[in-house]
Amino acid sequence: MPDFILDVQGLETTFKTPEGVIHAVNGVSFGLAESETLGVVGESGCGKSVTMLSVLGLIPSPPGKVIAGSAVFSGQDLLKISKEEIRHVRGAQIGMIFQDPMTSLNPVLTIGRQLEEPLELHIGMTRKQATERAAELLSMVGIPKAKDRLNDYPHQYSGGMRQRVMIAMALSCSPQILIADEPTTALDVTIQAQIMELVKRLRDELGMAIIWITHDLGVVAGMAQRVLVMYGGLIIEEAPVKELFANPEHPYTIGLLGSLPRVDETEHTKLFSIEGQPPVLYQKPNACPFAPRCQWVMEHCWNENPPLMDVGPDHRAACWVDPKTGRHR
């Protein structure tokens, strides 16, 4: 077992709503090794973003609350330390790229000021040093005439450029971990490819670990070394990326991969779709959350939620059924 720089165990997060308490994350455990890129996939509402926001203490409270678990980073549990202490971890040691760059950047502050602030706060740079470093960072992420663009406001940048600014901001203090929350979702395909190449290049140059949250399995294939598949606030499959694509072991993962268009198909085949809707979790699942949508469902699935079980080397799946045989594991 490698030494993890981030080790999350038994994480549970709930949200109070007028209809009842929603159990958004239900006992998530995973580790992130040094310099590793970990992909986290699943459809909207499965708990991907909430898991990472919980680790960084960014869940709005109320209505959200982390009710159990630990997240150990650099010998300290991020879920137990004070708000002041975690503010020094965020940005400085763990950077985050948020989903929508327009709402993540402050519209009334210049791009330069927003880049300079973490450098002054976390590293103690002077205003002049921070301005020089901010221009370097903009150049690093491929924004031309960087020095001249520091005094521009977010609305003067295109969507792709704003996302590059978010990456520059996340990397400004040379963090050990970068968490990217669907950073290419709102961008067109060519810009997506540029952003992915940029992050890969910076990962190799800076040697940081990355958690890449997405619902696009194609992105995961090009970015990650290991993948976590989430459903219903749980990790339902974990495997190295090549193993996951070659031998998916959970019916949900099989469905996700079946819904991808393939260029190697010789005949026109209809894309697979998973019937039904993801669960709204007003109760913590005590049966398999995927059972109502599963083609291999059996009696045991309705009575007990399966744990992650070893199904191959470094490959685990939370399913009572072996989809290759249709028999109980």
Side-chain angles (χ1 to χ4, degrees), residues 110-321:
T110 64
I111 294 294
R113 188 68 210 118
Q114 294 185 63
L115 279 166
E116 290 156 14
E117 194 176 18
L119 295 167
E120 292 168 19
L121 182 71
H122 294 303
I123 300 178
M125 285 186 177
T126 63
R127 187 73 178 263
K128 187 166 181 283
Q129 288 170 325
T131 304
E132 283 171 14
R133 176 69 176 142
E136 276 173 35
L137 287 161
L138 284 190
S139 296
M140 183 174 78
V141 295
I143 289 179
K145 297 182 182 168
K147 221 164 203 169
D148 301 335
R149 302 300 308 262
L150 287 175
N151 293 322
D152 287 350
Y153 288 87
H155 71 272
Q156 293 170 279
Y157 280 60
S158 69
M161 288 170 84
R162 284 197 294 264
Q163 197 57 285
R164 286 167 188 267
V165 170
M166 291 300 298
I167 292 169
M169 205 177 286
L171 299 178
S172 59
C173 301
S174 304
Q176 292 169 263
I177 300 171
L178 176 68
I179 298 174
D181 186 1
E182 303 201 26
T184 59
T185 298
L187 307 175
D188 64 55
V189 178
T190 49
I191 304 294
Q192 275 189 32
Q194 288 172 17
I195 295 290
M196 284 172 61
E197 282 308 311
L198 170 66
V199 173
K200 277 198 265 191
R201 177 171 64 77
L202 295 172
R203 171 191 70 191
D204 296 341
E205 283 174 16
L206 304 173
M208 63 191 169
I210 295 176
I211 297 174
W212 190 282
I213 303 167
T214 182
H215 53 248
D216 187 335
L217 281 158
V219 169
V220 163
M223 280 292 297
Q225 288 132 357
R226 195 160 57 91
V227 190
L228 307 177
V229 182
M230 288 191 68
Y231 187 84
L234 296 156
I235 293 170
I236 51 136
E237 188 157 6
E238 176 186 354
V241 68
K242 286 181 180 169
E243 170 69 10
L244 188 91
F245 277 77
N247 298 305
E249 286 283 345
H250 194 284
Y252 178 62
T253 314
I254 293 167
L256 283 182
L257 291 168
S259 67
L260 285 177
R262 297 181 63 117
V263 292
D264 59 350
E265 292 286 359
T266 48
E267 297 170 27
H268 291 295
T269 50
K270 196 175 175 187
L271 291 177
F272 179 77
S273 66
I274 304 171
E275 299 292 327
Q277 296 289 325
V280 179
L281 296 166
Y282 288 118
Q283 267 128 24
K284 199 173 163 186
N286 50 16
C288 175
F290 190 63
R293 304 171 75 186
C294 182
Q295 58 182 321
W296 288 286
V297 67
M298 54 171 62
E299 190 63 37
H300 194 175
C301 307
W302 297 105
N303 299 327
E304 190 181 354
N305 194 3
L308 277 170
M309 297 175 266
D310 289 329
V311 292
D314 299 322
H315 190 168
R316 300 188 300 157
C319 185
W320 295 120
V321 184

